[in-house]
Amino acid sequence: MGPAKAIAQTASCIGREFSIDLLSKVIGQPPASLSAPLATLTDAGILLPSALHSKSDFAFNHALIRDAAYESLMFKDRQALHGKILSILKAQPNVRPELIAQHAESAGELTEAGQAWLRAGKSAADRWANKEAERLTTRALNTISKWEPGEARCLTEISCRLTRGDALGAVF
C-alpha cells in the first residue's frame, strides 16, 4: 500500500472522519498530492467519502479499521502526530474544546488537555447539557489529577468541581 498506508495511519490520528485540508496540513503536502493514496484507500474499502452535510471529506469505513490503522503506529509516532494536529487545530478559530482536549491528552500535553476538558464542560453547562457537562468535567478531573501538585492544579480542580457540582445538581 506504500504511501496510502501512511495516509491511513495519519488520518486515524485525526479521527474517524477527517478533512483533506487538515490531513494535508498534518502531512505537510498539498491536497492534490493526496488524491491517489486516498483513491487507493477508497477503492480498497478502507475509506468512504463522507456525507454531504458533514464538514469532513472522508470517513473510515468502520471504527475497527480506523483502530487497526491507529494501533499500527508506534506510540511515539502517534503522540507526535497528535501534537502536530493539536497545534494546527489551536491556530484555527472556533475549534470545539473537546477536540483540543482529546488531541492534547493524546499528545501528552496534560495541562492543556485538562484546561480544554474544563472549557468543554463549562460550555456544555452553559447550554444546559448537564449530563454532558458532568461527563466532560469528570474527564477534566481525571486529567488534572495527573498534573504536578501546585496552585494551578488546585485552582483548576476547584473550578472543575464547581462546574461538575452545578451540573450534577441540575441532573438530579
Side-chain angles (χ1 to χ4, degrees):
M1 274 203 147
K5 179 181 177 184
I7 298 292
Q9 289 173 317
T10 302
S12 73
C13 288
I14 296 172
R16 175 108 191 260
E17 294 186 0
F18 59 93
S19 70
I20 292 174
D21 182 50
L22 180 56
L23 181 62
S24 72
K25 287 177 182 174
V26 174
I27 292 175
Q29 295 178 7
S33 69
L34 303 176
S35 297
L38 288 171
T40 300
L41 293 167
T42 303
D43 292 343
I46 294 170
L47 296 179
L48 299 171
S50 212
L52 294 175
H53 66 281
S54 175
K55 292 181 182 179
S56 302
D57 296 311
F58 287 93
F60 281 89
N61 188 17
H62 196 284
L64 292 176
I65 293 173
R66 183 252 171 205
D67 292 349
Y70 188 78
E71 294 297 328
S72 70
L73 281 166
M74 294 191 60
F75 177 77
K76 233 169 87 172
D77 296 334
R78 279 196 313 251
Q79 196 172 30
L81 281 169
H82 282 292
K84 196 167 190 179
I85 294 164
L86 175 63
S87 41
I88 292 166
L89 291 176
K90 283 174 34 180
Q92 296 177 353
N94 304 322
V95 176
R96 293 184 349 258
E98 55 270 26
L99 194 57
I100 296 288
Q102 174 192 356
H103 288 290
E105 194 166 36
S106 296
E109 300 289 336
L110 297 180
T111 301
E112 179 134 22
Q115 292 167 345
W117 286 125
L118 176 57
R119 282 194 311 276
K122 286 181 176 184
S123 175
D126 290 345
R127 295 187 318 272
W128 294 94
N130 293 306
K131 286 187 178 187
E132 182 181 355
E134 188 274 329
R135 180 183 59 79
L136 292 167
T137 52
T138 297
R139 187 113 187 232
L141 285 168
N142 290 338
T143 304
I144 293 165
S145 72
K146 299 172 189 167
W147 294 6
E148 290 293 320
E151 185 178 350
R153 177 179 168 173
C154 287
L155 292 173
T156 307
E157 187 175 343
I158 289 169
S159 178
C160 200
R161 288 190 185 281
L162 288 171
T163 302
R164 185 172 182 269
D166 289 344
L168 283 171
V171 169
F172 293 108

